[in-house]
Amino acid sequence: MAENGIAVIGDVAGLRLAANISGDSLYDNNEAFKLNFGAQYRIKDVASFGATLKSVTNGNFSTGIFAALESVENLTLNAGFVYNSTDTSFLPAASKYVLRASAGYKIKDAKLGLFADFATGLNNEYIAAEKDADKNITGYETLEYKKDGDDYVPLQVRGRVSFDATDTLSLNAFVKVNTLVGAEDSSTTEVYPYVNIKLPKFGTLNAGLRMTFNDDVGLYKFSIPLAWKYKLIDKK
């Protein structure tokens, strides 16, 4: 069933607060009703700090804290901790306790950019929904990842290198590795070289070759992404 919701956002003197209510059209099921909060405090050109509280009203509660360093020119550093992470775009599987970090550095003279992201579960635990025979959620429980009797934890590492060959041409190489540390034959690696081409007065063209490898068969999937972006209204 589609979700409905409402959000309230405030921003005063570097402090940004947000609250969100969402859920199914029928709010009689408390597990379908979600109350979320977020806060961020930024000291310009120095650092920022934040926290999130998600699903406060039900058993799938999740929270996170993060910090970012902004005081060094061309350098970006971020670190965070998440309790009950379910976002598998940043980790190959859900995890109860997660540590995340990212870094980026731009070498302007060389027109080079280096970027890296890291996320790992801190143990083999994760939180899963308990369901009845009709697949209705009745609660949540902590489970453990195990394979052949061994514990394992999810891990993701990402890296990207960019080079501005000209004012209109950017060359990029992206690599992402997902694995379950402690489990054999559980890794997948994505390699994605691509180019960004600025077309004067005609937007931007992105093209590349995305390849995915795993431990079983090597290269098992590839695609050739092609995208054109154009702004009808250029706000300056």
Side-chain angles (χ1 to χ4, degrees), residues 7-18:
V8 178
I9 300 174
D11 193 342
V12 179
L15 178 62
R16 185 178 179 87
L17 301 172

Side-chain angles (χ1 to χ4, degrees), residues 137-159:
I137 296 176
T138 58
Y140 292 86
E141 60 180 337
T142 297
L143 300 177
E144 295 182 340
Y145 289 118
K146 286 184 178 293
K147 189 173 184 179
D148 298 328
D150 296 326
D151 297 345
Y152 62 88
V153 297
L155 168 72
Q156 182 183 101
V157 179
R158 299 188 296 183

